[in-house]
Amino acid sequence: MLVLLPPSEGKAAGGSGAPLEPETLSLPGLAEARAAVLEELVELCAADEDKAREVLGLSEGLRGEVAKNAGLRSAPARPAGETYTGVLYDALGLAELPEAARARAERSLLVFSGLWGAVRVTDRIPSYRCSMGVKLPGLGALGAYWREPMAAVLPDVAGDGLVLDLRSSAYASAWKPKGEVAGRTATVRVLHAQVVDGVEKRSVVSHFNKATKGRLVRDLLVAGVEPATPADLVVALRDLGYTVEAQAPAKPAKAWSLDVVVSQIH
């Protein structure tokens, strides 16, 4: 099973680890593309703080992120699973996983990134600020930039098992599974169901959506469940207590769509 995750805007800063060693990152087929994004991002942030802030979509209060990006080559790095600290990662709780579940996480989780393309949770990266929605002056929109290198690398990474896609739309734009890989891919949406005046209404709540996805992945890892197909995933999630509504694709080589329906927000 390969689990595709978005990164988080929140990242752990500081630390005393050694700086980034790009050659040690997983998915070496992305190395050339990573180097190009890193070079342009560092140069942009070192040369013109105001322009960099505009390109990156940063508020005045986040001006310090520009200087952080300018120093990426020498900044301390730590495993990506420790670097990302947002809602999904808090709910996933990698550091508290039992040993066997942690090993499964290291093997199956892949985090997408505007800067790195995609990394394993064990890959050592510095804290940075560069979302997939950024349009760098020399490379263009990163979502489009990453499509070609991702298409060359990700099918092999996906292997022959289930692909569980939990990415947000911006990160999903960088790689869309195709053909046979798409047929064993399941995308997940989290819906909050509540009854208003006797009528059930459903909505997507961003914070809760992320937290539920983090707990869902954690539960699969702890249970040691590794479904081979989207249909197996539906069964596994229901066995774990989730309410799942599945829509199988009408045509072959298309992804399954799963709605995880919850009634409580926490």
Side-chain angles (χ1 to χ4, degrees):
M1 178 174 66
L2 181 68
V3 183
L4 310 181
L5 298 176
S8 65
E9 292 292 347
K11 299 177 183 70
S16 56
L20 171 72
E21 297 176 346
E23 69 279 4
T24 67
L25 297 179
S26 302
L27 284 61
L30 299 178
E32 184 177 346
R34 287 171 176 149
V37 179
L38 179 62
E39 180 177 4
E40 180 161 355
L41 181 63
V42 169
E43 289 184 359
L44 170 69
C45 292
D48 189 330
E49 186 177 270
D50 289 330
K51 181 180 179 181
R53 196 159 58 84
E54 179 182 354
V55 169
L56 297 173
L58 301 177
S59 66
E60 175 65 32
L62 293 173
R63 182 177 289 272
E65 298 293 302
V66 176
K68 180 191 295 183
N69 282 348
L72 280 173
R73 297 187 189 279
S74 59
R78 64 176 75 195
E82 299 175 14
T83 299
Y84 296 115
T85 61
V87 173
L88 187 154
Y89 293 90
D90 286 345
L92 174 55
L94 284 170
E96 291 78 37
L97 286 176
E99 184 177 351
R102 175 74 188 211
R104 284 188 283 272
E106 293 174 356
R107 184 173 67 248
S108 62
L109 304 187
L110 195 65
V111 184
F112 276 61
S113 163
L115 174 53
W116 314 114
V119 293
R120 300 284 189 184
V121 293
T122 52
D123 286 330
R124 295 179 61 261
I125 58 174
S127 178
Y128 67 96
R129 192 68 173 238
C130 184
S131 72
M132 193 65 81
V134 164
K135 185 176 182 180
L136 291 175
L139 299 178
L142 290 177
Y145 170 81
W146 280 111
R147 285 174 197 156
E148 184 175 346
M150 290 287 197
V153 171
L154 267 293
D156 285 342
V157 176
D160 57 5
L162 171 72
V163 177
L164 174 54
D165 190 351
L166 302 178
R167 298 172 296 169
S168 56
S169 58
Y171 291 91
S173 71
W175 181 59
K176 183 177 181 181
K178 297 183 182 299
E180 182 268 336
V181 179
R184 48 188 167 83
T185 296
T187 62
V188 173
R189 180 175 63 165
V190 179
L191 298 178
H192 176 222
Q194 54 185 332
V195 177
V196 180
D197 296 328
V199 178
E200 183 183 80
K201 295 185 178 181
R202 295 180 176 183
S203 60
V204 177
V205 183
S206 178
H207 181 282
F208 186 57
N209 169 61
K210 296 174 183 177
T212 300
K213 287 180 177 178
R215 285 193 290 269
L216 181 152
V217 173
R218 181 183 180 87
D219 288 345
L220 288 171
L221 293 171
V222 171
V225 180
E226 297 195 35
T229 68
D232 291 342
L233 174 64
V234 173
V235 174
L237 290 176
R238 287 173 177 167
D239 287 346
L240 288 169
Y242 289 91
T243 299
V244 182
E245 297 176 356
Q247 182 175 343
K251 299 180 180 179
K254 298 291 183 181
W256 284 54
S257 298
L258 274 56
D259 284 343
V260 174
V261 184
V262 295
S263 58
Q264 295 182 337
I265 294 180
H266 58 87

